[in-house]
Amino acid sequence: MNEKTDIKSMNLEELTQFVTELGEKKFRAKQIYEWLHVKHAYTFSKMTNLSGELRKRLEASCSITALRQEEVQVSRQDGTRKYLFALEDGNLIESVLMRYKHGNSVCISSQAGCRMGCVFCASTLGGLVRNLTAAEMLDQVYAIGKDTGERVSHVVVMGTGEPLDNYVQLVKFIGMLTDENGLHISQRNLTVSTCGIVPRIRELAGRQFAITLALSLHAPNQEKRRELMPVANRYEIHEVVDACRYYFEKTGRRITFEYSLVGGVNDSKEDAGELCKLLSGMNCHVNLIPVNPVRENHFIPSDTRATAAFKEKLEKNGLNVTVRREMGCDIDGACGQLRHRYL
Ligand code: SAH
């Protein structure tokens, strides 16, 4: 069978080349791009400013990615909405809408499953199934905007998967999501979270996007990090922090370090002191997250006292710290839990 062209994963440049190769004028690409990424058309027959003949040719040779909404859980506490979407091949992914004062933020998945193996994370339990395409990442944002009828102003790539393990599609996604011809979300309102794939962090720095890079650190030293995150066997903690310093030098964008507080594991005074040393002199932000318990593991979140003491120690050392407000605790809260229930 002839594979159809994934037209929704093409950026405007690629689409322009594609339509000119079909013998069409350049401006057709802009029209098609607008149908796909602004008006969210899911069939070529909707694209009424194209000739009937072009529509037929596109129909025959291209596919338009469309996620199917399988389930949505709505938090009664804060209106957080957690979506389960089916991809065309039947794989399931999840995305979350969080409502903040500063706007609506959508958390998207970058892969079906994950191969990074962090011990506290539900997303990695079934391993990696496959990378998502740029269109599958974009459509999570589009589908949620459409479902709620509300504008999405912020996007975080913090759902299932390791975005820098799907680097090519991720970079394309960033370009397309923030393209003025598309949804035009500000690069400043986009955050990409990584477990620390050093060469890709450096490569991404070179692109000089104005996005925020969040680095999942979760430990103050190499020994403890290795116990929690297998990726630390590949990249040593100082290498990771150096790559973050480089990212800041290149882009001027302050790194957010994510640190999940696990009771009795990484939340002591000594841990806080060591973390201060590790990050000393860095213009960064530390986001403390009491670990979200997952049925398959035995981790418990730090209590309020330990969390407050940890935060205070960092602040005394001049670090900028927040404790993440837990949203949607009454729905399958932790990363990958909703999807995992269906596997
Ligand atoms: N792979 C990327 C992005 C997905 S995970 C990364 O590692 O950053 C998004 C964030 O949620 C990461 O900081 C991850 O470590 C964290 N996380 C995963 N499971 C968690 C849990 N049970 N409790 C708290 N944070 C968790």
Side-chain angles (χ1 to χ4, degrees):
M1 201 183 81
N2 243 347
E3 281 273 314
K4 286 192 167 184
T5 302
D6 173 9
I7 195 167
K8 207 161 152 178
S9 287
M10 286 187 187
N11 60 29
L12 189 55
E13 205 182 322
E14 291 164 330
L15 193 57
T16 306
Q17 192 181 340
F18 182 73
V19 300
T20 44
E21 276 166 14
L22 288 177
E24 294 285 336
K25 292 256 162 55
K26 264 190 180 172
F27 74 92
R28 293 287 175 211
K30 257 198 176 163
Q31 291 179 322
I32 298 169
Y33 198 87
E34 189 182 18
W35 280 113
L36 293 172
H37 300 284
V38 181
K39 297 180 186 161
H40 307 307
Y42 288 91
T43 57
F44 293 102
S45 57
K46 281 244 168 75
M47 305 184 182
T48 45
N49 54 0
L50 308 181
S51 70
E53 200 218 306
L54 177 57
R55 278 184 261 161
K56 266 202 209 107
R57 285 174 76 190
L58 293 173
E59 185 84 58
S61 61
C62 301
S63 63
I64 301 178
T65 299
L67 303 183
R68 198 174 64 238
Q69 191 173 312
E70 293 284 305
E71 189 184 323
V72 53
Q73 297 181 337
V74 183
S75 163
R76 273 184 236 156
Q77 291 167 0
D78 51 34
T80 295
R81 297 169 75 85
K82 189 147 194 171
Y83 291 84
L84 188 74
F85 292 114
L87 307 175
E88 266 135 20
D89 62 5
N91 273 305
L92 297 172
I93 56 166
E94 57 179 70
S95 327
V96 187
L97 170 81
M98 290 157 291
R99 294 193 164 95
Y100 294 101
K101 280 196 209 91
H102 62 250
N104 287 334
S105 178
V106 168
C107 172
I108 67 151
S109 294
S110 56
Q111 297 179 313
C114 183
R115 57 176 181 161
M116 294 299 142
C118 300
V119 295
F120 44 79
C121 181
S123 291
T124 201
L125 290 167
L128 175 67
V129 183
R130 70 167 173 87
N131 282 331
L132 300 191
T133 62
E136 287 166 338
M137 289 188 251
L138 289 166
D139 213 44
Q140 296 173 59
V141 182
Y142 301 166
I144 291 177
K146 203 167 158 201
D147 182 58
T148 57
E150 294 171 29
R151 193 185 132 69
V152 175
S153 57
H154 292 66
V155 173
V156 296
V157 188
M158 272 192 197
T160 298
E162 168 48 47
L164 298 190
D165 192 32
N166 184 13
Y167 185 78
V168 173
Q169 293 300 309
L170 175 81
V171 166
K172 206 182 239 195
F173 163 79
I174 296 171
M176 292 171 77
L177 184 75
T178 59
D179 188 334
E180 58 181 8
N181 296 293
L183 211 53
H184 199 190
I185 287 182
S186 160
Q187 287 192 358
R188 291 175 177 274
N189 292 355
L190 175 58
T191 298
V192 172
S193 178
T194 178
C195 63
I197 308 208
V198 168
R200 296 289 96 74
I201 294 175
R202 291 181 172 271
E203 209 173 327
L204 190 65
R207 306 294 298 235
Q208 298 192 303
F209 291 124
I211 63 170
T212 298
L213 186 69
L215 193 288
S216 300
L217 193 60
H218 304 321
N221 61 44
Q222 172 67 3
E223 254 186 321
K224 286 202 177 182
R225 194 161 191 264
R226 265 177 56 183
E227 278 169 30
L228 297 171
M229 305 176 73
V231 70
N233 292 308
R234 187 81 176 76
Y235 305 109
E236 208 267 335
I237 195 164
H238 290 99
E239 246 188 283
V240 175
V241 174
D242 281 351
C244 291
R245 289 182 199 271
Y246 177 76
Y247 188 91
F248 177 72
E249 274 168 32
K250 275 284 196 195
T251 64
R253 301 288 297 164
R254 201 170 67 155
I255 302 282
T256 295
F257 287 101
E258 290 167 278
Y259 194 106
S260 291
L261 287 165
V262 189
V265 173
N266 63 3
D267 66 343
S268 71
K269 249 198 213 146
E270 292 72 33
D271 292 324
E274 233 181 313
L275 183 60
C276 292
K277 278 202 198 108
L278 183 71
L279 304 181
S280 78
M282 241 182 131
N283 185 358
C284 63
H285 177 97
V286 179
N287 194 16
L288 300 174
I289 313 147
V291 77
N292 219 323
V294 171
R295 206 179 314 118
E296 287 75 7
N297 67 44
H298 52 275
F299 295 110
I300 47 158
S302 305
D303 59 34
T304 336
R305 231 178 46 201
T307 306
F310 201 94
K311 177 170 188 265
E312 199 184 308
K313 174 86 183 159
L314 300 186
E315 280 173 340
K316 273 199 178 135
N317 279 272
L319 284 166
N320 197 299
V321 193
T322 47
V323 177
R324 185 190 288 173
R325 188 154 64 95
E326 289 174 77
M327 300 193 72
C329 291
D330 54 335
I331 51 181
D332 288 307
C335 267
Q337 280 195 149
L338 174 58
R339 172 175 177 271
H340 188 64
R341 210 154 43 75
Y342 280 79
L343 295 180

